[in-house]
Amino acid sequence: MSRRRIGFLVFDGVKMLDFAGPAEVFVEANQTLDAYEVVPVSADGREVGTSIGARVSVACAAHEAGWFDTVVIPGSELAPREFVTPELLEAARSLAGRTRRLTSICSGAFVLAELGLLNGKRATTHWKFTRELAQRYPEIRVEPDPIFVRDGRVFTSAGVAAGVDLALALVEDDHGADAARAVAQSLLVYMQRSGGQSQFSASLSGPAPRTPLVRAVAGLVWADPAHPYTVQELASLGGVSVRHLTRLFRADLESSPAEYVAYVRFSVAREKLDAGCTVTESATAAGYGTSEAMRRAFVARLGISPRKYQQRFRSTLRSA
């Protein structure tokens, strides 16, 4: 069986782990399968500088690279408007027409988006970029929570470690679960988390309040999420009118006070489930009146019940 060629389009400022993590999955698979050829390419065939300062040599320029089974476009710590250059876009366009599968890691999704390759499709990226992706490209159905999303031949993933999850999923597609499990065990990582699994690290990483008054009110909610807050009470605690508090929350966090309370409760409930608490215990700690109320919140945000969410998380831990 001939090796599948996996092309990585790298560029100055590429995030090293977005490139090296998935690449190592395919290289590790070769220890038992001899199934992949990893081929880094750049827009002009020159070596590139990475996020950690190391330089990476490439095999050739993108337009000279030939046919690939899979093309991977990593992301960058640079803002998308900085690293998504005309040269990178032209290289990506060329590769997209010469591959069976097209994938992006983290903010690499902005390259596919700018080319229109995600229009009408479900897609994700790192949680800190999902809002920008949705605002700049309204034709894309951005899903902020999954660690990776597949829509047809196009795969998009969240940042850094999620690229490893995606690469393991591709190995499983190609050679089965046993092959992917062997790679995961060799690399000492989880047998890939389900693509629908939440970007767990984002549970407490919503926008940080900047305004002192909003920060103070938000701190009160985090300190006692089980309290039955009303907007009137929060305004009173802040010493302002409901209208003024709502205006401050909208300007600072792009949400209403009530929406922020709901966000805090959901985050607390999810953390409790991750820690092994029961659904009832998590609902109580987070301020949901009943387990059913918490179930509705989880289904609305994640599309799954709290129990299924917890089972998925635990099965990931067991499969390491």
Side-chain angles (χ1 to χ4, degrees), residues 189-242:
V189 298
Y190 295 147
M191 171 60 180
Q192 94 269 4
R193 296 172 285 173
S194 164
Q197 184 157 335
S198 169
Q199 296 184 36
F200 292 114
S201 61
S203 63
L204 289 180
S205 53
R210 300 181 300 274
T211 307
L213 190 147
V214 175
R215 189 181 305 120
V217 172
L220 292 172
V221 178
W222 279 108
D224 187 11
H227 183 81
Y229 294 103
T230 64
V231 178
Q232 290 78 9
E233 181 181 9
L234 292 174
S236 177
L237 290 170
V240 296
S241 68
V242 169

Side-chain angles (χ1 to χ4, degrees), residues 139 183 189 250:
E139 302 89 351
V183 174
V189 298
R250 288 289 185 194

Side-chain angles (χ1 to χ4, degrees), residues 4-19:
R4 298 173 187 263
R5 300 183 76 229
I6 312 296
F8 283 83
L9 178 57
V10 296
F11 49 88
D12 283 326
V14 65
K15 189 169 182 63
M16 189 66 171
L17 190 54
D18 284 1
F19 159 54

Side-chain angles (χ1 to χ4, degrees), residues 241-271:
S241 68
V242 169
R243 183 176 180 180
H244 186 55
L245 182 69
T246 300
R247 185 166 58 248
L248 289 175
F249 264 75
R250 288 289 185 194
D252 205 346
L253 300 176
E254 297 186 11
S255 73
S256 69
E259 289 168 341
Y260 188 77
V261 171
Y263 158 76
V264 170
R265 286 179 176 154
F266 174 77
S267 298
V268 170
R270 190 160 67 172
E271 283 204 328

Side-chain angles (χ1 to χ4, degrees), residues 6-11 14-15 18-19 22 26 39 41 62 70-76 83-84 88-97 99 101-115 117-118 124-125 154-159 163 166 170:
I6 312 296
F8 283 83
L9 178 57
V10 296
F11 49 88
V14 65
K15 189 169 182 63
D18 284 1
F19 159 54
F26 296 113
V39 184
V41 302
T70 305
V71 166
V72 182
I73 301 179
S76 174
F83 81 85
V84 182
L88 182 62
L89 289 172
E90 184 56 37
R93 180 182 290 108
S94 172
L95 292 171
T99 186
R101 290 185 301 212
L102 186 60
T103 73
S104 66
I105 312 297
C106 192
S107 57
F110 284 82
V111 177
L112 302 185
E114 189 64 24
L115 293 174
L117 297 173
L118 298 180
T124 194
T125 184
V154 179
F155 297 73
T156 53
S157 83
L166 175 54
L170 297 179

